[in-house]
Amino acid sequence: MSHDPKSHLAELMRAALRSVAPSESDAAIHIERPKLATHGDFSCNLAMQLARSIRRNPRQLAQLLISELPYSPLVDRSEVAGAGFINFHLSPAAKLEVLRRILEQGAAFGRSTTGGKRRVLVEFVSANPTGPLHVGHGRGAAYGGSLCKLLGHAGWDVTSEYYVNDAGRQMDILALSTWLRYLELSRPDSVPFPPSAYQGEYVRDMARQLLMAHPGRYLRPLANISEGLPGLPDPERTDAVAGQQRETQLDALIARAKQLLGEEWKTLHDFVLTEQLADCRRDLEESGVHFDVWFSEQSLFDVGLVARCVERLDKSGHLYVQDGARWFRSTAFGDEKDRVVQRDNGLYTYFASDIAYHLNKYERGFQRIINVWGADHHGYIPRVRGAISALGLDPDVLEVALVQFAVLYRSGWKAQMSTRSGDFVTLRTLREDVGNDACRFFYVLRKSDQHLDFDLDLAKSQSNDNPVYYIQYAHARVCSVLALWGGEPAGLTAADLSRLESPYELALAARLGEFPEVVETAASELAPHLVAFYLKDLAAEFHSYYNAERILVDDPALRDARVALAAAVRQVIHNGMAILGVSCPESM
């Protein structure tokens, strides 16, 4: 007999189907949990599914199937409902048996082999290393970290990866910004700092480090720096033309810096990259988010993969030349317009390196590739899938999970998060304010593609309205009960669970039995928020039970049974919170 009630009920239905309609005995059998508890513990729609092919009324067919169900001690009763649903009510013993499984399996309860140890790559965060991570990046980090653990629980062989954009223009802008601050610290009459450069205090910090370590190494005559550069528009202008003029001046400054610094430019560039990447890695590690691989964009150029990738697209007829640039026929794959992969000056675009990066992912042999992108990248999906198809690869291997923005609120204040302007709230500041646990949980408390308003006051409150506090308090309560009980937890597997008879106890046991299904569903839907919702419901039911019944009663057998129930609650909360990257304190 299967330990899993769903599998066991499916076996019973299969036996009944063989008796009623042998020709349909291979039909798919779906056992689901009804939305309403009054409809039983599980429900099956097989009668409605087969009514037409068997040419029977679905309710009559459902009744016939029930009459042919083999006896099972796990089933208290079965009944026909609605248009032909078969609802199953499990026996108390069946509901309570899960407690023993939880206590025996411990941290392994809720794990499955669905993934079959197939290899999946999850790439997330991948923010340009041009400044501290902000609260928007934090949501992608929390989601991606939880998703990796969730897929691992579902039996996948998971590799987590951060794609380091270390080869593009943004890194050049950061290197230039740091150099100009370096000059500014050295000479009060230095070149005016461009409004489009990175403005944050962290840029000045890197400049100070450079100045202390190398007081004169990066100094150059000021006249040589600004001579002949394009002028800037009126600072008050915010139109597109003015914006382009500012960007043009920025590019001219970058070119001048590279010319004047020569080989020192690479040293400067490597310094700011190393500093910001180390800060990013430190921030994520402190958040409890760990990456197996930090993949360099520059490495794609160093090994020639970008050039080979573009040539492969060209040979297969997917590129054309216009105005000196090479274009990918992205519209042939559903994109709104064609895309440049190599500019007229010979430089490859970011899209070209991104195509090469995805080719590299496929070549590493992953059976499943998941990209976690910000919601603003929605339009980028068709062109990437198109490029994958054009390379002769299966685009269905790639899945993209979109993460909406997170906005902080405190007393109606809404934070801005612009990295170049320097006006943003860092992830580190948020963690210091509300704590790691609140950060991780609140970030995954909504479906990833839904907008998230992060209530700072609620996240810090010690009240039942704060879901993190509420769940952790349930865990701590059980720890307190176990400490007062004073027995050996390993012995609870021998408790007489039949003593648990109250509606609270049976409902709580039924809720605990749902956990493996929640994990499997959440993994299949890439939806860690389902685990968060489940934990909130479980904590609520435990608190209700705790307030309604005394656990440490005088009757030893009843006491041990209730302690076993409480210990099972503690274990499932711990397992669920581990998936979300949230701690479970033993006292609060």
Side-chain angles (χ1 to χ4, degrees), residues 3-5 33 41-42 73-76 89-105 109 492-514 541 545 557-558 560-569 572:
H3 284 300
D4 174 17
R33 289 188 182 271
D41 298 293
F42 291 96
L74 298 186
V75 180
D76 186 52
H89 296 261
L90 298 183
S91 66
K95 293 179 182 179
L96 294 169
E97 185 56 32
V98 71
L99 305 183
R100 216 177 308 278
R101 284 167 46 210
I102 293 169
L103 297 173
E104 288 172 351
Q105 295 177 16
F109 181 72
L492 290 172
T493 55
D496 180 7
L497 300 178
S498 67
R499 297 297 305 275
L500 301 173
E501 300 173 335
S502 79
Y504 284 110
E505 290 162 342
L506 295 176
L508 197 49
R511 181 71 69 184
L512 290 168
E514 294 175 14
E541 291 195 30
Y545 172 58
L558 179 58
D560 287 355
R562 288 181 172 178
V563 171
L565 174 60
V569 170
V572 171

Side-chain angles (χ1 to χ4, degrees), residues 456-470:
L456 294 167
D457 297 320
L458 178 61
K460 294 172 69 173
S461 70
Q462 294 189 352
S463 71
N464 293 347
D465 292 330
N466 180 351
V468 187
Y469 176 83
Y470 196 53

